[in-house]
Amino acid sequence: MSSLEGALSDDGAPLLRSAANTADITRRRPQGSRIAEWYETRSRDMLALTTVLLLLGIGLGMWVYGTLPTSDRDEHPHEYALSTERIREHLTQFLDIAGKHNNSRSVTNGHADSAEYVISQLHAHGNCDIYKQSFVSPVWTVHKAPRFSVRAPVQVDYIFETDFQVMRYGGQSATIDNARVAIVEDGGCVAERVGDVAGKIAVVRPSTDCSLFEAAFTLEQMGASAVVFVRSARFKTPSTARVRFTDWKEGDPLMTVPVLSVTHSVGQLLQTAAVSKLRIDIETNTSIDVVKTFNVLCVGREGDSHSTVLVGSHLDSVAAGPGINDNGSGSASTLEIQLTLARIKFKPHNRIVFAWWSAEEDGLLGSRHFARELAHDWKNQWTSDVGVRWEDIALDLNFDMLASPNFIALVHNGTDAPENARTGSQRIQRVFEDYFVRHDYPYELTDMLAGSDFVPFVDNGVPAGGVLTGAGEFKSITERSKHGGLANAALDTCYHRDCDTLLNINMLALDRMSKAAMYAVSTLSNVHDLRGYLNDASGIH
């Protein structure tokens, strides 16, 4: 034995044991040790079993997925092919163009260069025949704030935009001092009832018997030196309405003398003062210039031309700003939709025609000209074939303002369309609603009565529809709870202002709304018997 064998511990137990003793101890291990060994062995078995089951589950899941309907991306590949970043690149180009033209893309500023950019993109990457459709548009400009004062019987200087306003298209520049006043009854609609207004400022309350322009032009023809419309008491501010034929065309008259609007309270003072003693000063610095401009048309080469889907958006901005949301967002989206369809070699059943309208901000004059020339065979000196016949247009899709910063997704309500275009417009509405419901995006219906380029189409019996994200209207608390954003704030705080730049673009709105546009275009252009579909009133309430 070794020198330590047999040695004892302090309590008398041996420090080393023989091999026989060790084997005996092993055979007599405590119960807890055997349980731990058993548990370790079973854990390894369970881990192996779990791994096998997991692999089987993954395999089974892959097999089941392959037997289910295709995913949304596969079912609707066209909307997913559309790149919001490419749309933003077009918006960047529009902003650069505005920067070279007084920060504007209006008819007299950067519109023409914006149109040439669109044409260059279509030539390089599109798939269509390109046309320009030329016409003239009257452009209204205020060069300096006007002045409106009562000189007698007491001196009162009224405040611009608070007490009075120069109405749009309200004449050329003029300086009128110490002028007498004529109070006009019956709205100035009938010359025989007007009385003597020659050389005087005609003060008149608007009538429903004639338009503002008809009354003002009648008074001008009778020799009035200016016209002042008194606004109804229900309005707190003076009017900025257009004093011009709504559907103005080349050769129609325009106002020459100043046309102003005053609040009801100012009008009361003017109408109750001693007319024989009342004297007024007016100074305006304005102009109306008739300029040449043009629409851009991109006429598809494939599909049934007798069931044409027209896709429109206005390309111009107001003079006050670059119009990147209004309506760079719509026109850049429709441009990229055309380029995307060309890139993926989309084959529509029905022909698609894209249109970029000019002079929308001057009263929808581009789309009105298109409708007048094609639907009513009206001609000007530039009239030529644009590859489209009015009777071939089955429907119109309109996209105006798709990226408002405090947006609500809005779908035009087809019920508002005239009776001869109503059923088809409701069908188009349903297509847009299908997109929002499928994605579980919140949306609202909005009226389709006025304000954008769908008007000339529904007015001439062509069904129309579209989506938008709102302008200067305020978001309610209820709408905020459904759509997010800021309550009691405008949907677009930069509407018609110089801050309508790229920073004004809500990219989430742009993504959703441009894809809604792509979905509608690709869906409706692939409907067989499109006119039958549009005329089917079943299921529409």
Side-chain angles (χ1 to χ4, degrees):
M1 100 183 9
S2 70
S3 60
L4 293 178
E5 187 173 348
L8 301 176
S9 66
D10 291 340
D11 61 1
L15 292 175
L16 293 177
R17 296 178 173 84
S18 66
N21 288 337
T22 301
D24 183 63
I25 291 172
T26 301
R27 286 192 299 271
R28 294 185 284 107
R29 269 188 314 197
Q31 181 72 17
S33 297
R34 291 199 298 274
I35 292 173
E37 182 179 357
W38 175 85
Y39 181 79
E40 181 180 355
T41 303
R42 293 301 299 270
S43 296
R44 286 196 300 267
D45 293 342
M46 288 298 295
L47 180 61
L49 179 61
T50 301
T51 302
V52 170
L53 290 175
L54 180 62
L55 292 173
L56 287 173
I58 292 173
L60 180 61
M62 292 176 65
W63 177 82
V64 169
Y65 179 81
T67 67
L68 293 175
T70 55
S71 69
D72 188 69
R73 183 178 291 271
D74 293 333
E75 186 73 17
H76 304 281
H78 310 112
E79 66 189 70
Y80 290 95
L82 185 68
S83 167
T84 310
E85 282 304 313
R86 288 197 186 99
I87 296 173
R88 194 179 189 280
E89 290 171 10
H90 300 317
L91 293 177
T92 301
Q93 293 298 317
F94 288 159
L95 186 61
D96 288 345
I97 290 168
K100 299 172 184 176
H101 296 277
N102 303 311
N103 193 38
S104 173
R105 296 185 305 108
S106 69
V107 166
T108 54
N109 288 291
H111 168 265
D113 282 358
S114 298
E116 293 301 336
Y117 170 77
V118 169
I119 291 170
S120 69
Q121 290 293 303
L122 295 174
H123 275 306
H125 310 292
N127 179 26
C128 61
D129 297 319
I130 302 167
Y131 298 86
K132 289 182 180 180
Q133 185 187 40
S134 297
F135 61 99
V136 293
S137 171
V139 176
W140 162 254
T141 307
V142 177
H143 302 285
K144 190 172 70 172
R147 180 173 58 87
F148 179 68
S149 304
V150 171
R151 176 179 293 190
V154 294
Q155 179 76 29
V156 181
D157 295 324
Y158 289 107
I159 301 172
F160 177 50
E161 295 181 331
T162 299
D163 299 318
F164 79 99
Q165 180 68 267
V166 179
M167 300 181 77
R168 286 181 289 172
Y169 294 89
Q172 304 285 0
S173 295
T175 300
I176 303 170
D177 292 323
N178 202 32
R180 296 173 64 191
V181 172
I183 305 300
V184 177
E185 304 295 339
D186 298 326
C189 298
V190 181
E192 290 75 15
R193 300 177 188 172
V194 168
D196 180 20
V197 296
K200 301 175 184 178
I201 295 174
V203 178
V204 57
R205 291 185 184 276
S207 169
T208 57
D209 293 335
C210 63
S211 69
L212 293 172
F213 174 76
E214 289 167 335
F217 191 68
T218 296
L219 295 169
E220 178 182 304
Q221 295 296 99
M222 297 183 68
S225 58
V227 178
V228 176
F229 283 109
V230 179
R231 204 164 196 203
S232 167
R234 62 193 176 96
F235 298 105
K236 303 304 180 185
T237 58
S239 172
T240 58
R242 292 187 182 93
V243 188
R244 192 198 69 195
F245 282 138
T246 301
D247 192 10
W248 188 92
K249 62 184 181 299
E250 185 178 357
D252 284 345
L254 295 162
M255 291 299 300
T256 301
V257 303
V259 182
L260 280 65
S261 170
V262 296
T263 61
H264 180 76
S265 58
V266 173
Q268 287 286 88
L269 293 172
L270 296 178
Q271 291 178 312
T272 58
V275 174
S276 61
K277 297 181 180 179
L278 193 59
R279 298 292 184 271
I280 292 179
D281 295 343
I282 292 176
E283 182 180 356
T284 61
N285 193 334
T286 59
S287 62
I288 304 175
D289 300 301
V290 178
V291 301
K292 183 182 177 183
T293 186
F294 60 94
N295 298 321
V296 176
L297 300 172
C298 162
V299 180
R301 296 168 181 154
E302 298 177 287
D304 181 4
S305 64
H306 300 299
S307 294
T308 292
V309 174
L310 183 66
V311 182
S313 54
H314 77 86
L315 188 56
D316 62 313
S317 76
V318 294
I324 301 305
N325 184 35
D326 184 16
N327 180 41
S329 61
S331 52
S333 293
T334 56
L335 172 60
E336 188 56 34
I337 287 171
Q338 209 291 324
L339 301 183
T340 300
L341 293 177
R343 176 170 53 82
I344 66 176
K345 296 179 171 54
F346 179 68
K347 304 291 184 184
H349 180 78
N350 307 303
R351 182 178 64 172
I352 308 173
V353 173
F354 288 83
W356 289 269
W357 310 120
S358 181
E360 189 270 357
E361 299 291 4
D362 297 314
L364 320 182
L365 294 185
S367 56
R368 290 186 191 278
H369 174 76
F370 177 85
R372 184 187 309 114
E373 195 169 86
L374 271 67
H376 303 288
D377 200 29
W378 187 88
K379 292 180 172 57
N380 63 17
Q381 59 183 305
W382 304 288
T383 297
S384 61
D385 176 52
V386 292
V388 186
R389 299 184 309 163
W390 185 261
E391 58 268 29
D392 289 338
I393 300 172
L395 63 92
D396 169 65
L397 298 177
N398 186 66
F399 302 106
D400 189 355
M401 300 183 67
L402 302 187
S404 301
N406 192 28
F407 78 102
I408 295 175
L410 300 169
V411 177
H412 278 305
N413 190 344
T415 305
D416 294 330
E419 186 175 357
N420 60 348
R422 187 172 302 152
T423 300
S425 298
Q426 290 172 311
R427 281 289 174 203
I428 296 168
Q429 171 193 327
R430 294 294 197 280
V431 171
F432 285 112
E433 289 183 295
D434 173 69
Y435 167 85
F436 288 103
V437 169
R438 175 164 50 85
H439 287 286
D440 197 25
Y441 295 153
Y443 73 96
E444 305 286 345
L445 295 182
T446 190
D447 65 70
M448 193 167 66
L449 300 172
S452 197
D453 290 302
F454 58 80
V455 171
F457 294 93
V458 294
D459 283 353
N460 286 280
V462 174
V467 291
L468 61 157
T469 53
E473 60 269 38
F474 276 49
K475 180 179 285 185
S476 69
I477 294 174
T478 302
E479 289 169 335
R480 189 263 176 205
S481 65
K482 181 176 179 180
H483 301 276
L486 299 175
N488 301 316
L491 302 184
D492 184 355
T493 55
C494 289
Y495 175 61
H496 284 185
R497 296 175 58 195
D498 60 0
C499 55
D500 188 6
T501 65
L502 279 173
L503 295 177
N504 195 45
I505 294 295
N506 186 313
M507 291 300 291
L508 174 62
L510 184 64
D511 183 68
R512 287 185 182 180
M513 304 307 276
S514 62
K515 285 179 169 56
M518 171 62 100
Y519 172 69
V521 172
S522 59
T523 297
L524 289 166
S525 64
N526 260 340
V527 173
H528 291 247
D529 188 18
L530 179 58
R531 293 183 186 272
Y533 171 79
L534 295 172
N535 290 325
D536 181 8
S538 61
I540 293 178
H541 302 287

